[in-house]
Amino acid sequence: MARSRFRTDRGLSLRMGGVSLGLGVLYLLFAAVLYQTPLGALGFVVVLAMAWGQWYFSDSLALKSMRAQVVEPHQAPELHAMIDRLCALADMPKPRVAIAVTDMPNAFATGRTPNHSAVCVTTGIMQRLDADELEGVLAHELSHVANRDVTVMTVASSIGLLAGFITRYGMYFGGMFGGGNRDRNNNGGPAFIVVFLVSLLVYAVSFVLIRGLSRYRELSADRSGAYMTGRPSKLSSALVKISGDMSRIPNSDLRESQAMSAFFFAPAINRESIGALFSTHPPLQQRLDQLAKVSAELSEQG
């Protein structure tokens, strides 16, 4: 078998290790605090069940959130052919292939392991890109699967979602912890305040961890995808097209996809919105500059 053209990224591996360690500490802290509340041992169960569910069902949940349908080779022969070729070049298992019917031009990869993963493209991106540009995007997404950064991002997102849920619905939980029997009021109120404050802390820390890893992993996938296809200029062209068209997608459509934005090829936000300040993706120009360096390197080697 020919040598794989997929290039690993030591920097990404180190960052994922650091984020995983940080997440482990957050999970233990969150579970320990919940254990001190009226939830008791249920706190451990909630945290562990959330993490396991997000990890195990990550590919199915992501596809359902985008209303994507898995397609067989006879339903999308050209798309499958591209992925077959790229998987052969990277010497990796072929993921499930899915299509989401939406005008938003984007793509994403998801899954708990390379053997249990999926790559999804939208009808919008297939209509806007030529074959070589689409192949560049697919190489980028397959790099996420091969790097296993999708798994880390999925678990990182789960604890943030749980902490955010408790923070957002604090009044309900406050009533549950402090209401009812007057004998429990002295303990319920302070317990809820502690949970609420820790939830804010956990959400903030997970937010920072996700953003830091997400920006780097996108640059890593750009590099790996460009080396895989040997045509970084096509990936650059796809980035320019998609970023330009994304700003013209109605905000209502973008909001529906916000939960998946961190996993998209390009962020699902209006570039002029406040959300751009907290983007999960690096600036477009930074990605283009990096691809230009890869192109120069490949030219020297050729």
Side-chain angles (χ1 to χ4, degrees):
M1 180 178 292
R3 185 168 62 90
S4 171
R5 286 173 60 174
F6 172 73
R7 298 196 181 188
T8 57
D9 189 324
R10 179 174 173 77
L12 178 61
S13 297
L14 291 174
R15 282 170 172 78
M16 288 195 298
V19 169
S20 298
L21 179 62
L23 289 174
V25 173
L26 283 180
Y27 271 108
L28 290 175
L29 172 64
F30 204 34
V33 171
L34 288 176
Y35 185 73
Q36 302 304 315
T37 71
L39 286 176
L42 181 61
F44 285 112
V45 176
V46 170
V47 172
L48 292 177
M50 186 77 173
W52 182 84
Q54 284 285 109
W55 171 77
Y56 192 84
F57 299 106
S58 57
D59 53 343
S60 298
L61 291 173
L63 294 179
K64 287 181 180 179
S65 71
M66 288 296 296
R67 301 185 181 89
Q69 296 293 324
V70 174
V71 293
E72 301 300 329
H74 69 275
Q75 296 173 299
E78 295 181 0
L79 183 60
H80 271 272
M82 286 183 189
I83 293 178
D84 284 336
R85 175 177 176 274
L86 292 171
C87 287
L89 289 174
D91 190 22
M92 62 180 290
K94 182 181 179 180
R96 291 192 295 165
V97 181
I99 296 177
V101 181
T102 172
D103 189 50
M104 182 182 65
N106 233 314
F108 66 90
T110 182
R112 63 184 186 271
T113 66
N115 287 314
H116 298 87
S117 61
V119 171
C120 177
V121 297
T122 67
T123 51
I125 200 173
M126 291 192 293
Q127 292 166 357
R128 288 171 172 82
L129 303 185
D130 64 32
D132 290 337
E133 291 168 339
L134 182 58
E135 186 178 62
V137 172
L138 292 172
H140 169 106
E141 296 304 331
L142 289 172
S143 295
H144 282 312
V145 175
N147 280 324
R148 297 175 183 265
D149 58 70
V150 174
T151 301
V152 178
M153 283 292 293
T154 299
V155 177
S157 299
S158 65
I159 191 170
L161 289 173
L162 179 58
F165 176 82
I166 292 178
T167 302
R168 179 175 299 181
Y169 296 100
M171 293 296 292
Y172 169 77
F173 281 92
M176 183 178 69
F177 291 157
N181 192 332
R182 290 182 177 271
D183 294 336
R184 295 183 299 172
N185 283 349
N186 291 334
N187 294 327
F192 164 70
I193 292 174
V194 172
V195 172
F196 184 78
L197 292 177
V198 171
S199 296
L200 283 175
L201 175 63
V202 169
Y203 181 81
V205 174
S206 65
F207 182 92
V208 173
L209 289 174
I210 291 172
R211 264 52 182 181
L213 175 61
S214 184
R215 294 189 186 106
Y216 187 88
R217 83 184 191 108
E218 292 301 329
L219 292 172
S220 177
D222 282 345
R223 286 193 299 271
S224 296
Y227 285 126
M228 196 186 304
T229 63
R231 293 192 295 270
S233 62
K234 291 298 182 179
L235 184 53
S236 295
S237 177
L239 275 168
V240 172
K241 282 186 181 181
I242 293 172
S243 298
D245 285 353
M246 193 67 72
S247 63
R248 292 188 283 271
I249 299 297
N251 285 332
S252 58
D253 293 342
L254 295 179
R255 282 194 295 269
E256 291 181 358
S257 305
Q258 280 296 301
M260 287 296 299
S261 185
F263 297 88
F264 282 151
F265 175 68
I269 59 172
N270 186 311
R271 289 178 296 175
E272 297 178 357
S273 71
I274 189 66
L277 298 175
F278 305 102
S279 178
T280 53
H281 294 61
L284 173 62
Q285 192 57 52
Q286 183 180 4
R287 298 177 74 175
L288 296 177
D289 289 344
Q290 176 184 246
L291 289 171
K293 292 180 181 178
V294 174
S295 182
E297 179 186 335
L298 291 175
S299 296
E300 292 176 359
Q301 293 176 356

